[in-house]
Amino acid sequence: MSKLDDLRAHLRAIRTLTKGVTHGLPVLEAAEDPYDLFSDWFRDAEASGLLLPESMALATATADGRPSVRMVLLKGVGPAGFRFFTNFGSRKAAELDDNPRASLCFHWSVLERQVRVEGRVERLSAEDSTAYFATRDRGSRIGAWASAQSRPIADRAALEAQVVEAESRFRGRDVPLPDFWGGYRLVPDRFEFWQGRANRLHDRLEYTPRARSLDGGREADDHWEVTRLQP
């Protein structure tokens, strides 16, 4: 290792304190629930000063397997899954309708941490989408009405004209949830937690549902198998 590489390694260790290259992931027995571990890591990311720690890459694919990926914002996580919102006319929504499986990736560089989540995707109820939409500022709600997401447009001026039209339509009253806009929930069947360590000997933990036998078949229960993977 060169002196420069050695310095970089030491800076990483200082920057991540006890959460990074000097500490690593917990022993398997101490990390039974991936949602708990994700919550701990997300709180650390928020405390680290990172801009938009809720940013996540969302990977989808068409029915014939053509992939695409983009950054979206996490808008809630719990035992039911990970939530995000979009225009139902967007490319991501069309792909999710045809192939309702997706993958998420969180990357928090300051902490040298990454979380990958895979699973099936389902639409949220209109009630859930309405409740979230009401929390957005008025400009963002107007924007949802004004933009036919992922569709071609002549120029910026045309988009701004659509914004003016939407503002005029809702002047003096509340901006309701569009029927073409709402939320999705990714219900995980795989987590992977990645923690950077010195010499690229990183820690990786994989969580997959523990299966149980039921009437001769197999059904996932609420518990998880934890496996340490080589870097």
Side-chain angles (χ1 to χ4, degrees), residues 12 14-15 46 57 61 68-69 76 80 82 86 88 115 121 123 126-127 135 137 162 168-169 177 185 198 203 220 224:
R12 286 199 302 272
I14 293 170
R15 186 173 65 238
E46 290 180 310
S68 63
V69 65
F82 291 71
T86 190
F88 291 145
V115 182
V121 179
R123 284 197 187 189
E127 292 75 16
T135 70
D137 63 76
Q162 292 174 186
S168 176
R169 191 189 327 171
L177 174 74
R185 176 191 295 112
D203 282 343
W224 297 83

Side-chain angles (χ1 to χ4, degrees), residues 60-99:
T60 58
T62 59
D64 62 356
R66 183 184 181 93
S68 63
V69 65
R70 77 289 291 157
M71 301 301 294
V72 299
L73 297 179
L74 175 68
K75 292 299 181 180
V77 59
F82 291 71
R83 305 198 312 168
F84 59 93
F85 293 82
T86 190
N87 186 307
F88 291 145
S90 66
R91 177 179 176 180
K92 69 176 86 61
E95 292 178 354
L96 288 171
D97 288 344
D98 289 341
N99 181 8

Side-chain angles (χ1 to χ4, degrees), residues 101-121:
R101 292 194 61 81
S103 179
L104 305 173
C105 182
F106 297 84
H107 179 62
W108 300 308
S109 58
V110 169
L111 299 175
E112 291 207 33
R113 284 177 174 172
Q114 177 174 279
V115 182
R116 296 165 59 192
V117 188
E118 301 169 15
R120 61 180 174 84
V121 179

Side-chain angles (χ1 to χ4, degrees), residues 25-34 36-37 205 207 224-226:
L25 282 162
V27 296
L28 301 186
E29 294 78 12
E32 296 179 353
D33 189 328
D36 289 344
L37 184 53
L205 290 185
Y207 288 76
W224 297 83
E225 296 283 357
V226 190

